[in-house]
Amino acid sequence: MKRPVFFAFALAATCALIPTAVVGPSLAATTKGPAAGKTVKVGVIADVTGSAAVYGVQQKDAYELANDDLKSGLLDAGGANLSFDVEDAASDGNQVANLFQKFTTDGTALILGPTLSGEARKGDPIAVAAKTAVVGTSTTADGITSLGPCVFRVSLSEAQVVPATVAHTKAVWKYKTAAIIYGDDNAFTKTDGDIFKTQLEKAGVSIVDTETFHVGDKDFAASLTKIKAAKPDVIVLGALAEEAEKIIQQASTLGIKTHMMGGNGLNSTKIYDYAGPAAAGVVVGAAWSINGNYTGNKSFVERFKKRYGVEPDQFGAQAYAAAQLVAQLVKEGKATKDEMCPALRELRVAQTVLGPIAFDPGRDVSAAPVILQIEKGGFAYFH
Amino acid sequence: MVGQQLVNGLFLGAVYALFAIGYTLVFGVLDILNLAHAAIFMLAAFATWSLLGAGLPFWLAAPIAIAGAGVLGIVLDRIAFAPLRRRAAPNLIPLISSIGMAIIFGAIARGIYGPDERQFALAFLQTPPLHAGPLTFTIVQLVILGSAIAFMLGLAWVMRATALGRAIRAVAEDRVAAALLGIDLERTIGATFFIASALGGLAGILTALQYNSVQIDMGGQIELKGLAVIVLGGMGSITGAVIGGFVIGMVETLAVAFGLSEWRDAISYGVMFLILIVRPTGLFGKRSLRTA
């Protein structure tokens, strides 16, 4: 079940061996910074297999693209031999802990990941004890950055995304009642459901029905029938893409035409690929837009599509943003484990595919959420 | 709303029932749990997806995948069960052996298809839902319900009225006596695995159609429910598997309907325990585990 990522290993090893100067014509000028010639290894922990693989594979793909971009000069690390070493956590908490042990003892300068918030709760304390900085790229549950003084994340938490989503949709849709359906056995979806509930109540919306499901469920007919009978003005989904797409599809089958909205978990092309016309109109509060004009985003989306045959989703984009952030730090001369945590704390701004990002005093990312709406098989800004 | 919830429960139960029929058939004959049943369920769905991708029409792709699942069942028996049977291994050993095969099948599927969910691009899945008064359902749901009932009746007929059925029942009753009476044990067991796995494959394809979703872990989610179904229905009883499937499907749906969605699974297993307290052999189970 646990498949080591030999390809990533080989790629990382190749990156370390080949000086950037001898690899092809550079598309962007590689500069000589204070860390020129130094080798900087960044450990990536991602669920490439197992139940969270739909997110982890995007992350692995983004880092492999970043490794290529470092070689070609599209990503500038100031002449340092920077590489991202992607290891598969196989959606298994014990494997996550093992990989944290490995990366905290093998000269790794910084750890990126893991994929899920629950995994971060298990693995991050190991990095904290070893004084290795961790940057989460997809951990959005409450309290992750409180795990230690060097735990950061570039992913906007639900606590940052949901208030904007509620405010924006309420202004446009003018709803008074809502029903919530969320997964109660996953740190992300549970947090999502709780925060939506709090924010809706704060906005004076009454919750007429709350339904729960388990991650991996496929049949939502019973819950949706109950929601339909409660006649809410809006339905809130605290879900990841795989469940959300089925909820949207099955709601449509049951004749439910109510407005729907959700958080980061719904920011995936899978939603409209799967649910088709049923997904039209669904609003998604998110950290990234595939149509965004930020640094390198258009090029990232195009090259990702060309290389892997699928569009990147938010998980891929956030991983690539972390790679851009790390490249910037290395370019500034930060190359060792001891230099990374203070450098992240003092970071003023990093230009990424998510837009300009920095960290607040609580080590959460400061960035503006985007409110998107699914239209004709794509995401558009919600107005 | 209650009417729609009963319909929801009926359709969910049909999926459980179809899955559990094959599960219970193997148990009835061999007294072992074949935990690779869920892997075959998943592989048949992927095989159908691949055959459709290769340009075959659905009416051809599905039967090929179902027959393939049946053949895979025979292969499974030859590799995981037959050698242990010859050595008269205790019942726990083939159980572990079947888990091993499930893991191998899963690894093969993951190697070929990767972790992503696949969907069928079939026109009939896009047909609008049907309405009967306040009730809403899809054609695929009707097909699943029809299949569960048809295959239960068909299997009951095979077991009662054909030579193969009589042989299977004889082997289930007493393997040694059946062999003394001239029944070819290995062929009968092979046929049992073929039928059980083909039904598992059919269940996999229909489940994938119902949710338009083919996934590596689709079997794991139904496997535990399947166990609850056959225990509740009575281990080895085909009627029990079908009724048990509908009971679990209905209990789950009604738990949600009564506002207890977070207790859904606990309630369905609670009902299973209650039934077992009243009837330790399950609803239709005739015998307890053999003691000698």
mmCIF file of all heavy atoms in Angstrom, chain A residues 43-78:
data_model
loop_
_atom_site.group_PDB
_atom_site.id
_atom_site.type_symbol
_atom_site.label_atom_id
_atom_site.label_comp_id
_atom_site.label_asym_id
_atom_site.label_seq_id
_atom_site.Cartn_x
_atom_site.Cartn_y
_atom_site.Cartn_z
ATOM 1 N N GLY A 43 11.802 18.808 2.531
ATOM 2 C CA GLY A 43 11.022 17.566 2.606
ATOM 3 C C GLY A 43 9.544 17.851 2.434
ATOM 4 O O GLY A 43 9.005 18.759 3.051
ATOM 5 N N VAL A 44 8.900 17.075 1.561
ATOM 6 C CA VAL A 44 7.462 17.239 1.340
ATOM 7 C C VAL A 44 6.753 15.961 1.767
ATOM 8 O O VAL A 44 7.144 14.869 1.350
ATOM 9 C CB VAL A 44 7.155 17.518 -0.149
ATOM 10 C CG1 VAL A 44 5.648 17.605 -0.363
ATOM 11 C CG2 VAL A 44 7.837 18.782 -0.622
ATOM 12 N N ILE A 45 5.738 16.100 2.607
ATOM 13 C CA ILE A 45 4.960 14.942 3.050
ATOM 14 C C ILE A 45 3.560 15.086 2.456
ATOM 15 O O ILE A 45 2.812 16.002 2.798
ATOM 16 C CB ILE A 45 4.904 14.871 4.587
ATOM 17 C CG1 ILE A 45 6.327 14.742 5.146
ATOM 18 C CG2 ILE A 45 4.034 13.702 5.038
ATOM 19 C CD1 ILE A 45 6.424 14.827 6.660
ATOM 20 N N ALA A 46 3.221 14.197 1.534
ATOM 21 C CA ALA A 46 1.932 14.298 0.837
ATOM 22 C C ALA A 46 1.305 12.918 0.711
ATOM 23 O O ALA A 46 2.007 11.911 0.582
ATOM 24 C CB ALA A 46 2.138 14.908 -0.548
ATOM 25 N N ASP A 47 -0.016 12.871 0.751
ATOM 26 C CA ASP A 47 -0.735 11.600 0.601
ATOM 27 C C ASP A 47 -0.879 11.266 -0.881
ATOM 28 O O ASP A 47 -1.903 11.560 -1.494
ATOM 29 C CB ASP A 47 -2.122 11.692 1.260
ATOM 30 C CG ASP A 47 -2.017 11.800 2.765
ATOM 31 O OD1 ASP A 47 -1.086 11.209 3.328
ATOM 32 O OD2 ASP A 47 -2.859 12.485 3.368
ATOM 33 N N VAL A 48 0.156 10.638 -1.424
ATOM 34 C CA VAL A 48 0.131 10.320 -2.857
ATOM 35 C C VAL A 48 -0.749 9.096 -3.115
ATOM 36 O O VAL A 48 -1.290 8.908 -4.197
ATOM 37 C CB VAL A 48 1.571 10.108 -3.376
ATOM 38 C CG1 VAL A 48 1.581 9.806 -4.858
ATOM 39 C CG2 VAL A 48 2.413 11.342 -3.088
ATOM 40 N N THR A 49 -0.896 8.251 -2.086
ATOM 41 C CA THR A 49 -1.814 7.108 -2.197
ATOM 42 C C THR A 49 -2.748 7.137 -0.992
ATOM 43 O O THR A 49 -2.554 7.919 -0.071
ATOM 44 C CB THR A 49 -1.042 5.766 -2.221
ATOM 45 O OG1 THR A 49 -0.256 5.677 -1.033
ATOM 46 C CG2 THR A 49 -0.140 5.656 -3.429
ATOM 47 N N GLY A 50 -3.749 6.257 -1.021
ATOM 48 C CA GLY A 50 -4.700 6.193 0.085
ATOM 49 C C GLY A 50 -5.858 7.158 -0.101
ATOM 50 O O GLY A 50 -6.001 7.782 -1.154
ATOM 51 N N SER A 51 -6.664 7.305 0.946
ATOM 52 C CA SER A 51 -7.939 8.012 0.797
ATOM 53 C C SER A 51 -7.783 9.495 0.459
ATOM 54 O O SER A 51 -8.663 10.087 -0.145
ATOM 55 C CB SER A 51 -8.766 7.859 2.075
ATOM 56 O OG SER A 51 -8.047 8.385 3.169
ATOM 57 N N ALA A 52 -6.661 10.128 0.853
ATOM 58 C CA ALA A 52 -6.500 11.559 0.561
ATOM 59 C C ALA A 52 -5.669 11.789 -0.701
ATOM 60 O O ALA A 52 -5.195 12.903 -0.950
ATOM 61 C CB ALA A 52 -5.876 12.273 1.756
ATOM 62 N N ALA A 53 -5.509 10.721 -1.490
ATOM 63 C CA ALA A 53 -4.642 10.831 -2.668
ATOM 64 C C ALA A 53 -5.142 11.857 -3.683
ATOM 65 O O ALA A 53 -4.335 12.437 -4.413
ATOM 66 C CB ALA A 53 -4.491 9.467 -3.334
ATOM 67 N N VAL A 54 -6.446 12.098 -3.720
ATOM 68 C CA VAL A 54 -6.942 13.083 -4.689
ATOM 69 C C VAL A 54 -6.318 14.462 -4.441
ATOM 70 O O VAL A 54 -6.184 15.255 -5.355
ATOM 71 C CB VAL A 54 -8.479 13.222 -4.700
ATOM 72 C CG1 VAL A 54 -9.103 12.153 -5.538
ATOM 73 C CG2 VAL A 54 -9.044 13.227 -3.307
ATOM 74 N N TYR A 55 -5.942 14.734 -3.194
ATOM 75 C CA TYR A 55 -5.284 16.009 -2.900
ATOM 76 C C TYR A 55 -3.770 15.870 -2.993
ATOM 77 O O TYR A 55 -3.085 16.731 -3.518
ATOM 78 C CB TYR A 55 -5.672 16.500 -1.500
ATOM 79 C CG TYR A 55 -7.128 16.258 -1.214
ATOM 80 C CD1 TYR A 55 -7.535 15.293 -0.314
ATOM 81 C CD2 TYR A 55 -8.094 16.964 -1.920
ATOM 82 C CE1 TYR A 55 -8.876 15.035 -0.105
ATOM 83 C CE2 TYR A 55 -9.439 16.712 -1.715
ATOM 84 C CZ TYR A 55 -9.817 15.747 -0.805
ATOM 85 O OH TYR A 55 -11.146 15.490 -0.614
ATOM 86 N N GLY A 56 -3.274 14.738 -2.462
ATOM 87 C CA GLY A 56 -1.833 14.525 -2.385
ATOM 88 C C GLY A 56 -1.177 14.422 -3.753
ATOM 89 O O GLY A 56 -0.048 14.877 -3.946
ATOM 90 N N VAL A 57 -1.872 13.830 -4.713
ATOM 91 C CA VAL A 57 -1.284 13.690 -6.048
ATOM 92 C C VAL A 57 -1.090 15.071 -6.679
ATOM 93 O O VAL A 57 -0.064 15.352 -7.300
ATOM 94 C CB VAL A 57 -2.161 12.774 -6.943
ATOM 95 C CG1 VAL A 57 -1.722 12.849 -8.389
ATOM 96 C CG2 VAL A 57 -2.078 11.335 -6.456
ATOM 97 N N GLN A 58 -2.066 15.958 -6.487
ATOM 98 C CA GLN A 58 -1.923 17.334 -6.994
ATOM 99 C C GLN A 58 -0.705 18.004 -6.358
ATOM 100 O O GLN A 58 0.038 18.732 -7.019
ATOM 101 C CB GLN A 58 -3.191 18.137 -6.668
ATOM 102 C CG GLN A 58 -4.324 17.915 -7.639
ATOM 103 C CD GLN A 58 -4.397 18.984 -8.729
ATOM 104 O OE1 GLN A 58 -3.804 20.057 -8.611
ATOM 105 N NE2 GLN A 58 -5.098 18.680 -9.805
ATOM 106 N N GLN A 59 -0.512 17.754 -5.065
ATOM 107 C CA GLN A 59 0.618 18.366 -4.369
ATOM 108 C C GLN A 59 1.944 17.835 -4.920
ATOM 109 O O GLN A 59 2.856 18.595 -5.237
ATOM 110 C CB GLN A 59 0.502 18.096 -2.864
ATOM 111 C CG GLN A 59 -0.725 18.784 -2.275
ATOM 112 C CD GLN A 59 -0.968 18.450 -0.819
ATOM 113 O OE1 GLN A 59 -0.694 17.340 -0.369
ATOM 114 N NE2 GLN A 59 -1.501 19.400 -0.068
ATOM 115 N N LYS A 60 2.021 16.508 -5.058
ATOM 116 C CA LYS A 60 3.246 15.897 -5.594
ATOM 117 C C LYS A 60 3.533 16.463 -6.989
ATOM 118 O O LYS A 60 4.660 16.844 -7.302
ATOM 119 C CB LYS A 60 3.082 14.372 -5.670
ATOM 120 C CG LYS A 60 4.242 13.670 -6.349
ATOM 121 C CD LYS A 60 3.946 12.197 -6.567
ATOM 122 C CE LYS A 60 2.984 11.951 -7.694
ATOM 123 N NZ LYS A 60 3.512 11.447 -8.939
ATOM 124 N N ASP A 61 2.476 16.522 -7.822
ATOM 125 C CA ASP A 61 2.654 17.019 -9.187
ATOM 126 C C ASP A 61 3.164 18.462 -9.180
ATOM 127 O O ASP A 61 4.033 18.831 -9.979
ATOM 128 C CB ASP A 61 1.328 16.938 -9.958
ATOM 129 C CG ASP A 61 0.948 15.502 -10.294
ATOM 130 O OD1 ASP A 61 1.802 14.610 -10.085
ATOM 131 O OD2 ASP A 61 -0.185 15.263 -10.748
ATOM 132 N N ALA A 62 2.633 19.291 -8.267
ATOM 133 C CA ALA A 62 3.050 20.696 -8.211
ATOM 134 C C ALA A 62 4.534 20.796 -7.829
ATOM 135 O O ALA A 62 5.278 21.603 -8.396
ATOM 136 C CB ALA A 62 2.190 21.456 -7.208
ATOM 137 N N TYR A 63 4.976 19.971 -6.878
ATOM 138 C CA TYR A 63 6.386 20.040 -6.463
ATOM 139 C C TYR A 63 7.312 19.498 -7.552
ATOM 140 O O TYR A 63 8.424 19.974 -7.721
ATOM 141 C CB TYR A 63 6.608 19.276 -5.155
ATOM 142 C CG TYR A 63 5.974 19.974 -3.973
ATOM 143 C CD1 TYR A 63 4.935 19.386 -3.267
ATOM 144 C CD2 TYR A 63 6.403 21.244 -3.585
ATOM 145 C CE1 TYR A 63 4.330 20.036 -2.195
ATOM 146 C CE2 TYR A 63 5.809 21.897 -2.519
ATOM 147 C CZ TYR A 63 4.773 21.296 -1.832
ATOM 148 O OH TYR A 63 4.186 21.945 -0.787
ATOM 149 N N GLU A 64 6.845 18.490 -8.275
ATOM 150 C CA GLU A 64 7.675 17.978 -9.372
ATOM 151 C C GLU A 64 7.807 19.038 -10.466
ATOM 152 O O GLU A 64 8.870 19.192 -11.068
ATOM 153 C CB GLU A 64 7.101 16.663 -9.906
ATOM 154 C CG GLU A 64 7.379 15.522 -8.944
ATOM 155 C CD GLU A 64 6.787 14.193 -9.366
ATOM 156 O OE1 GLU A 64 6.055 14.151 -10.376
ATOM 157 O OE2 GLU A 64 7.051 13.195 -8.675
ATOM 158 N N LEU A 65 6.723 19.760 -10.699
ATOM 159 C CA LEU A 65 6.774 20.869 -11.653
ATOM 160 C C LEU A 65 7.747 21.941 -11.141
ATOM 161 O O LEU A 65 8.557 22.484 -11.903
ATOM 162 C CB LEU A 65 5.363 21.461 -11.817
ATOM 163 C CG LEU A 65 5.146 22.438 -12.966
ATOM 164 C CD1 LEU A 65 5.310 21.739 -14.304
ATOM 165 C CD2 LEU A 65 3.735 23.040 -12.892
ATOM 166 N N ALA A 66 7.685 22.197 -9.829
ATOM 167 C CA ALA A 66 8.589 23.188 -9.240
ATOM 168 C C ALA A 66 10.046 22.741 -9.380
ATOM 169 O O ALA A 66 10.934 23.555 -9.667
ATOM 170 C CB ALA A 66 8.238 23.404 -7.771
ATOM 171 N N ASN A 67 10.294 21.443 -9.196
ATOM 172 C CA ASN A 67 11.667 20.929 -9.380
ATOM 173 C C ASN A 67 12.150 21.186 -10.808
ATOM 174 O O ASN A 67 13.284 21.603 -11.026
ATOM 175 C CB ASN A 67 11.719 19.427 -9.076
ATOM 176 C CG ASN A 67 11.869 19.146 -7.579
ATOM 177 O OD1 ASN A 67 12.429 19.967 -6.842
ATOM 178 N ND2 ASN A 67 11.370 18.019 -7.134
ATOM 179 N N ASP A 68 11.259 20.949 -11.768
ATOM 180 C CA ASP A 68 11.590 21.234 -13.172
ATOM 181 C C ASP A 68 11.857 22.724 -13.372
ATOM 182 O O ASP A 68 12.795 23.120 -14.072
ATOM 183 C CB ASP A 68 10.417 20.851 -14.091
ATOM 184 C CG ASP A 68 10.379 19.363 -14.353
ATOM 185 O OD1 ASP A 68 11.234 18.653 -13.780
ATOM 186 O OD2 ASP A 68 9.498 18.922 -15.119
ATOM 187 N N ASP A 69 11.007 23.550 -12.755
ATOM 188 C CA ASP A 69 11.121 24.995 -12.927
ATOM 189 C C ASP A 69 12.401 25.533 -12.302
ATOM 190 O O ASP A 69 12.965 26.524 -12.774
ATOM 191 C CB ASP A 69 9.895 25.705 -12.324
ATOM 192 C CG ASP A 69 8.629 25.395 -13.109
ATOM 193 O OD1 ASP A 69 8.754 24.815 -14.210
ATOM 194 O OD2 ASP A 69 7.527 25.715 -12.630
ATOM 195 N N LEU A 70 12.849 24.872 -11.230
ATOM 196 C CA LEU A 70 14.122 25.277 -10.621
ATOM 197 C C LEU A 70 15.263 24.993 -11.594
ATOM 198 O O LEU A 70 16.202 25.766 -11.734
ATOM 199 C CB LEU A 70 14.342 24.524 -9.309
ATOM 200 C CG LEU A 70 13.511 25.038 -8.125
ATOM 201 C CD1 LEU A 70 13.498 24.015 -6.999
ATOM 202 C CD2 LEU A 70 14.056 26.371 -7.616
ATOM 203 N N LYS A 71 15.136 23.857 -12.275
ATOM 204 C CA LYS A 71 16.179 23.490 -13.241
ATOM 205 C C LYS A 71 16.182 24.423 -14.439
ATOM 206 O O LYS A 71 17.225 24.819 -14.932
ATOM 207 C CB LYS A 71 15.964 22.039 -13.716
ATOM 208 C CG LYS A 71 16.522 21.027 -12.749
ATOM 209 C CD LYS A 71 16.558 19.647 -13.355
ATOM 210 C CE LYS A 71 15.224 18.943 -13.221
ATOM 211 N NZ LYS A 71 15.210 17.620 -13.855
ATOM 212 N N SER A 72 14.983 24.758 -14.897
ATOM 213 C CA SER A 72 14.905 25.583 -16.106
ATOM 214 C C SER A 72 15.091 27.065 -15.801
ATOM 215 O O SER A 72 15.248 27.867 -16.709
ATOM 216 C CB SER A 72 13.555 25.374 -16.785
ATOM 217 O OG SER A 72 12.540 25.959 -15.997
ATOM 218 N N GLY A 73 15.052 27.439 -14.533
ATOM 219 C CA GLY A 73 15.231 28.836 -14.165
ATOM 220 C C GLY A 73 13.934 29.604 -14.030
ATOM 221 O O GLY A 73 13.933 30.782 -13.683
ATOM 222 N N LEU A 74 12.792 28.935 -14.307
ATOM 223 C CA LEU A 74 11.509 29.613 -14.124
ATOM 224 C C LEU A 74 11.289 29.980 -12.658
ATOM 225 O O LEU A 74 10.654 30.962 -12.336
ATOM 226 C CB LEU A 74 10.372 28.712 -14.588
ATOM 227 C CG LEU A 74 9.919 28.854 -16.039
ATOM 228 C CD1 LEU A 74 8.840 27.824 -16.346
ATOM 229 C CD2 LEU A 74 9.397 30.252 -16.334
ATOM 230 N N LEU A 75 11.802 29.126 -11.783
ATOM 231 C CA LEU A 75 11.815 29.453 -10.349
ATOM 232 C C LEU A 75 13.264 29.772 -9.996
ATOM 233 O O LEU A 75 14.156 28.977 -10.278
ATOM 234 C CB LEU A 75 11.342 28.265 -9.514
ATOM 235 C CG LEU A 75 9.880 28.168 -9.112
ATOM 236 C CD1 LEU A 75 9.678 26.949 -8.220
ATOM 237 C CD2 LEU A 75 9.396 29.411 -8.411
ATOM 238 N N ASP A 76 13.470 30.909 -9.357
ATOM 239 C CA ASP A 76 14.827 31.376 -9.097
ATOM 240 C C ASP A 76 15.181 31.193 -7.622
ATOM 241 O O ASP A 76 14.578 31.831 -6.752
ATOM 242 C CB ASP A 76 14.900 32.859 -9.495
ATOM 243 C CG ASP A 76 16.295 33.431 -9.283
ATOM 244 O OD1 ASP A 76 17.219 32.653 -8.956
ATOM 245 O OD2 ASP A 76 16.454 34.653 -9.460
ATOM 246 N N ALA A 77 16.129 30.307 -7.353
ATOM 247 C CA ALA A 77 16.580 30.092 -5.972
ATOM 248 C C ALA A 77 17.968 30.685 -5.766
ATOM 249 O O ALA A 77 18.739 30.224 -4.912
ATOM 250 C CB ALA A 77 16.549 28.611 -5.638
ATOM 251 N N GLY A 78 18.318 31.665 -6.568
ATOM 252 C CA GLY A 78 19.584 32.373 -6.391
ATOM 253 C C GLY A 78 20.818 31.508 -6.588
ATOM 254 O O GLY A 78 21.841 31.730 -5.948
#
